[in-house]
Amino acid sequence: MTILSDDFLWGGATAANQCEGAYQADGKGLSIVDKLPAAEERVKPLFDPGHHINETFSYYPSHQSIDMYHHYQGDIALFAEMGFKAYRFSISWPRIFPTGTEEEPNEEGLKFYDRLFDELEKYHIEPIVTLNHFDTPYALVETIGGWRDRATVIHYERYCRAVMERYKDRVKYWLTHNEINMVLHIPLIGGGLIFQDGENQNQVMYQAAHHQLVASSLVTKAAREINPAFQVGCMLASGEVYPNTCHPDDMMAAIEKNREQYFFIDVQSRGFYPSYTRKLFRELDVNIHFEPGDKELLQNYTVDFISFSYYASRLVSADPLVNQQLQSGNAFASLQNPYLEQTEWGWQIDPVGLRVTMNQIYDRYQKPLFIVENGLGAIDEVNVDGSINDDYRITYMKRHLEEMIKAVDDGVELLGYTAWGCIDLVSNSTGQMSKRYGLIYVDLDDEGNGTRARRKKKSFDWYKEVIASNGEILERGV
Ligand code: BG6
């Protein structure tokens, strides 16, 4: 008997814009990410798109990426060899609705996903489908400003309905928006937002967030109509925020910082805007425009489960002087926690933080959880004999999975765990290939050179054993 249930969904996760490539194949339109370059060049258009998004760059990593569009059969065979029970991937919105505004879906785009589902069914791998993983069609960004415009809700609903109708007998688990809170941290990819000089950015971000929340409820409504057995989940970029000291003011600062992320799930899971938003919106000078019927939609169509990514915890202080030390290793700024190590990219490593986060989320919502992203971005070396000894990745995953199992033992209901970037893919924040998460190596560098050949890392065999034992080898401390 293991602590995890027999039907625990072990697997891996990817996103279309980071692995498919084939960015214009079979009628696909451009996504926002297709406009982004790699490495240092990426920072300007990502964080200051108003001035840089239409610059010409020398290399766009999403255009070919690891070309999973043409390698999916071999890749899924490798996932099956590892024993995956589930594979989380996203459907590319602009592959199905190239400009976002078409009346009918692009049949050639759908045919690609038909073939992908065929392959997954061959190996009895459960698909976990993200409907929007940072993939707003670029044409919608250019013409109406992405999610700042209410019309995007309608375009998104039409796309989701088309996909859910097509796959109503092939998919059970759907996620509406990847890391919905990212609209506040990387607004370009989170919401297709480009700010105009001098405007109240908080107003734009929270109104776009409202549109995404309403869209999520509309899609949940559609899901209930199309197949009542569908399970719809939200998706949060999680990571508990700790107080810097036990000073009560720091504790209050941590509560407020945590609310910044939980706001989204409070609405998606409980069905209404939490009372703390009154003060928050007053302070930020934000005034959300609700259309008639929005309140009822949010209330009536809440999610069935809570999925989330977890990479790190965070640390805040109430003292502005201390907060001058805030570091932005990833999309979230944090003080440095002296008890934690960091990755090569400055992300703090906190396995116990996963247990803390799981307990907090479960206590707050009492709905099943799903860890749909977790992993270590690191530089891997290929040895002369072709082996890749990524012991650091095994250590990272082992420590996190041990804490995950403890959280389940604490009483948290958990549907599954999908390791992020189970096959090496393009990094979202940096556009690099060298920031690798995979259990499967892909021969491709930061400039697009390489054969794209796949190779198993040491972690491949280790994860296979973890899955085969349903986590029991971790319980035994192996
Ligand atoms: C999450 C995203 O934020 O973190 C993924 O959902 C992303 O798209 C992952 O790839 C890891 O981040 P990065 O920037 O290292 O690729």
Side-chain angles (χ1 to χ4, degrees):
M1 267 284 280
T2 56
I3 291 172
L4 302 176
S5 61
D6 289 344
D7 55 0
F8 189 77
L9 292 169
W10 290 102
T14 61
N17 77 75
Q18 291 171 258
C19 70
E20 282 180 4
Y23 81 116
Q24 287 180 313
D26 301 325
K28 179 182 173 295
L30 287 187
S31 128
I32 345 164
V33 175
D34 292 327
K35 300 282 289 179
L36 297 176
E40 283 89 45
E41 280 189 310
R42 196 169 179 97
V43 179
K44 285 191 293 177
L46 197 58
F47 293 103
D48 185 13
H51 298 106
H52 299 285
I53 194 78
N54 282 320
E55 264 174 50
T56 303
F57 299 97
S58 50
Y59 174 57
Y60 296 89
S62 68
H63 290 190
Q64 271 83 43
S65 186
I66 62 161
D67 195 23
M68 203 190 247
Y69 196 75
H70 296 108
H71 289 74
Y72 66 95
Q73 286 174 304
D75 293 341
I76 292 172
L78 285 169
F79 298 161
E81 190 183 331
M82 260 188 285
F84 278 20
K85 313 271 185 244
Y87 172 43
R88 172 188 175 228
F89 62 98
S90 71
I91 291 185
S92 160
W93 181 359
R95 206 178 276 296
I96 310 301
F97 285 85
T99 66
T101 55
E102 292 81 359
E103 283 305 317
E104 296 299 327
N106 170 26
E107 182 58 27
E108 290 308 305
L110 286 168
K111 279 187 183 153
F112 167 66
Y113 294 105
D114 292 350
R115 297 193 292 275
L116 196 81
F117 284 118
D118 289 344
E119 220 50 35
L120 291 174
E121 282 162 18
K122 194 158 113 189
Y123 299 106
H124 308 291
I125 296 176
E126 180 86 44
I128 316 291
V129 177
T130 316
L131 287 156
N132 177 22
H133 193 128
F134 302 154
D135 231 350
T136 307
Y138 186 66
L140 287 182
V141 177
E142 249 187 329
T143 53
I144 57 173
W147 284 94
R148 74 161 69 216
D149 194 311
R150 176 82 185 203
T152 299
V153 175
I154 307 303
H155 298 313
Y156 179 69
E157 188 201 359
R158 190 171 58 254
Y159 148 69
C160 292
R161 274 189 181 270
V163 166
M164 291 193 301
E165 287 282 1
R166 177 88 161 206
Y167 302 120
K168 64 173 183 289
D169 300 319
R170 308 188 86 173
V171 179
K172 177 177 174 190
Y173 298 101
W174 300 92
L175 309 181
T176 50
H177 302 282
N178 179 63
E179 295 189 334
I180 186 163
N181 49 323
M182 213 45 97
V183 71
L184 301 181
H185 305 283
I186 316 184
L188 176 68
I189 55 167
L193 301 181
I194 298 177
F195 300 114
Q196 275 128 43
D197 291 337
E199 71 180 336
N200 177 354
Q201 299 190 355
N202 283 310
Q203 171 66 35
V204 178
M205 290 190 292
Y206 276 105
Q207 187 64 51
H210 178 71
H211 294 154
Q212 293 192 336
L213 292 166
V214 168
S216 182
S217 282
L218 269 175
V219 169
T220 307
K221 178 174 184 286
R224 307 270 183 263
E225 290 161 12
I226 294 168
N227 183 348
F230 280 169
Q231 293 290 295
V232 182
C234 52
M235 198 307 201
L236 170 75
S238 82
E240 195 62 18
V241 182
Y242 303 154
N244 189 40
T245 69
C246 52
H247 193 292
D249 287 346
D250 281 351
M251 185 62 206
M252 199 57 225
I255 288 177
E256 287 183 342
K257 219 31 182 176
N258 276 313
R259 282 176 174 165
E260 196 176 272
Q261 47 174 330
Y262 290 132
F263 155 69
F264 295 85
I265 312 306
D266 285 351
V267 178
Q268 287 180 292
S269 182
R270 294 166 165 168
F272 55 89
Y273 272 54
S275 52
Y276 59 75
T277 53
R278 276 200 300 272
K279 189 181 96 185
L280 177 74
F281 291 166
R282 190 177 65 233
E283 287 173 355
L284 298 176
D285 196 17
V286 165
N287 198 345
I288 305 288
H289 175 72
F290 273 66
E291 298 244 315
D294 282 1
K295 273 203 175 116
E296 294 70 22
L297 257 179
L298 296 176
Q299 194 168 7
N300 294 336
Y301 299 100
T302 53
V303 292
D304 300 304
F305 67 96
I306 318 281
S307 81
F308 61 93
S309 61
Y310 175 83
Y311 294 94
S313 57
R314 288 181 282 157
L315 196 58
V316 285
S317 164
D319 183 342
L321 275 179
V322 176
N323 280 335
Q324 283 177 1
Q325 308 297 317
L326 283 170
Q327 297 179 341
S328 49
N330 65 20
F332 300 117
S334 173
L335 294 168
Q336 208 170 329
N337 186 328
Y339 298 101
L340 302 179
E341 292 166 11
Q342 296 190 356
T343 72
E344 289 160 290
W345 273 266
W347 294 24
Q348 305 195 59
I349 303 174
D350 183 9
V352 178
L354 174 60
R355 181 178 177 191
V356 172
T357 300
M358 289 173 71
N359 274 283
Q360 293 285 52
I361 299 179
Y362 192 66
D363 282 354
R364 197 170 179 122
Y365 304 112
Q366 300 282 303
K367 286 188 182 175
L369 307 189
F370 202 142
I371 303 171
V372 292
E373 283 188 35
N374 171 242
L376 174 70
I379 292 174
D380 292 326
E381 298 292 340
V382 184
N383 299 319
V384 272
D385 64 357
S387 62
I388 299 145
N389 295 325
D390 56 341
D391 290 308
Y392 38 88
R393 183 167 293 106
I394 294 174
T395 304
Y396 179 101
M397 289 181 71
K398 181 172 182 292
R399 290 173 63 203
H400 282 79
L401 290 173
E402 284 167 355
E403 295 301 324
M404 173 189 89
I405 290 173
K406 284 183 202 166
V408 173
D409 206 25
D410 292 336
V412 171
E413 198 180 342
L414 184 67
L415 298 171
Y417 173 95
T418 53
W420 173 249
C422 47
I423 179 165
D424 289 347
L425 38 64
V426 174
S427 157
N428 168 55
S429 57
T430 69
Q432 293 167 300
M433 269 305 294
S434 52
K435 190 180 187 190
R436 297 173 183 275
Y437 287 85
L439 311 155
I440 300 165
Y441 184 89
V442 180
D443 177 28
L444 187 66
D445 70 14
D446 288 343
E447 283 80 43
N449 307 304
T451 61
R452 294 187 170 77
R454 278 55 169 160
R455 195 181 280 281
K456 298 175 201 169
K457 302 183 192 176
K458 188 172 175 185
S459 53
F460 181 104
D461 292 320
W462 172 81
Y463 194 43
K464 184 177 173 179
E465 277 183 51
V466 169
I467 297 176
S469 76
N470 199 25
E472 204 247 321
I473 63 167
L474 299 167
E475 288 172 40
R476 283 194 278 117
V478 179

